[in-house]
Amino acid sequence: MTSTQLIWSLVLNSAVAVLVFCSTLAFFRLGGQGNMKEGGRKALIYFTVDSNLLCALACLALCVWDAAALGRGGGVLVPRWLDLFKFAGSVAVGVTFFTTLCYLLPVTKFDFKLLYAGWNFCLHALCPLAAMGSWAFLERSAPLPFAWTLLGLVPTALYGVLYLWKVIVKKQWKDFYHFNVGGLWYVTVFVMLLLSFGIGAGLWALR
């Protein structure tokens, strides 16, 4: 990575980490907002919050690496483990971004205020775009075999298992994402995994 790439990567990853942690803190200090009504620890039931926290941790780790690499004058590649960590986080927030834009927005009859007001704008749009863009266009590692893009399915799959367990089996959560309308949860599972794979493949292709 060049010094310019490192600087911009540091700026964007720092911004994502700060915005996500501040937005998450707002759930504890101010309560839920928009389509995410739950505050405090209950906010962790939302994939939006979980995916952004995962991505923010990856961004924070990358900030440390960027700063160290800048101190060495650049010209180095991101370690494979860190690159994959950021990739998984970027795919996860990509799922958040596209699900909100292409599914939840029509479902809510294009209620932009519900989905994008306040810190929801950071979690649903700004941070995902910054994370995906920085991974695809700025950060460089050794060539990533396409098979590794399957790692991007892991966050969605893990959350999907939890969501199905809590909503359908235990009935402890409301179907707040409307993923089981008409009992078609199995269709949703396929679509969400396909979306995750598509985002991962798209990021891989852009890089």
Side-chain angles (χ1 to χ4, degrees):
M1 289 176 66
T2 65
S3 295
T4 300
Q5 287 174 318
L6 285 169
I7 291 171
W8 278 108
S9 175
L10 180 59
V11 169
L12 289 177
N13 283 298
S14 298
V16 170
V18 170
L19 288 173
V20 169
F21 290 134
C22 287
S23 297
T24 304
L25 182 62
F27 281 98
F28 287 85
R29 299 292 298 273
L30 302 174
Q33 185 181 48
N35 70 314
M36 296 185 286
K37 301 294 186 182
E38 301 290 351
R41 288 184 298 176
K42 289 184 177 181
L44 296 175
I45 69 174
Y46 301 117
F47 184 76
T48 293
V49 177
D50 298 338
S51 63
N52 273 275
L53 283 174
L54 172 67
C55 190
L57 289 174
C59 288
L60 188 60
L62 203 48
C63 284
V64 175
W65 185 87
D66 283 339
L70 273 171
R72 296 193 296 269
V76 291
L77 297 175
V78 179
R80 173 56 54 85
W81 71 269
L82 183 54
D83 192 46
L84 289 173
F85 186 16
K86 175 66 182 296
F87 174 75
S90 298
V91 173
V93 292
V95 171
T96 289
F97 175 81
F98 286 106
T99 300
T100 302
L101 183 66
C102 301
Y103 175 69
L104 294 179
L105 194 57
V107 164
T108 59
K109 297 180 180 179
F110 296 91
D111 190 339
F112 286 90
K113 184 177 181 180
L114 182 71
L115 297 173
Y116 293 108
W119 54 86
N120 280 3
F121 177 70
C122 294
L123 300 179
H124 282 152
L126 189 59
C127 292
L129 286 173
M132 290 188 289
S134 62
W135 188 89
F137 299 115
L138 295 174
E139 290 138 21
R140 291 294 177 263
S141 182
L144 184 68
F146 184 75
W148 280 103
T149 60
L150 293 175
L151 183 66
L153 297 174
V154 174
T156 303
L158 290 176
Y159 181 83
V161 170
L162 176 63
Y163 190 84
L164 291 175
W165 177 258
K166 290 289 189 178
V167 173
I168 297 175
V169 179
K170 303 295 289 185
K171 301 188 186 304
Q172 294 175 338
W173 292 357
K174 293 181 180 179
D175 186 18
F176 45 83
Y177 283 134
H178 309 287
F179 283 165
N180 191 39
V181 174
L184 298 176
W185 61 268
Y186 48 90
V187 176
T188 301
V189 169
F190 175 76
V191 170
M192 296 309 295
L193 290 177
L194 184 62
L195 174 63
S196 300
F197 176 74
I199 292 170
L203 290 176
W204 180 87
L206 284 173
R207 176 183 278 192

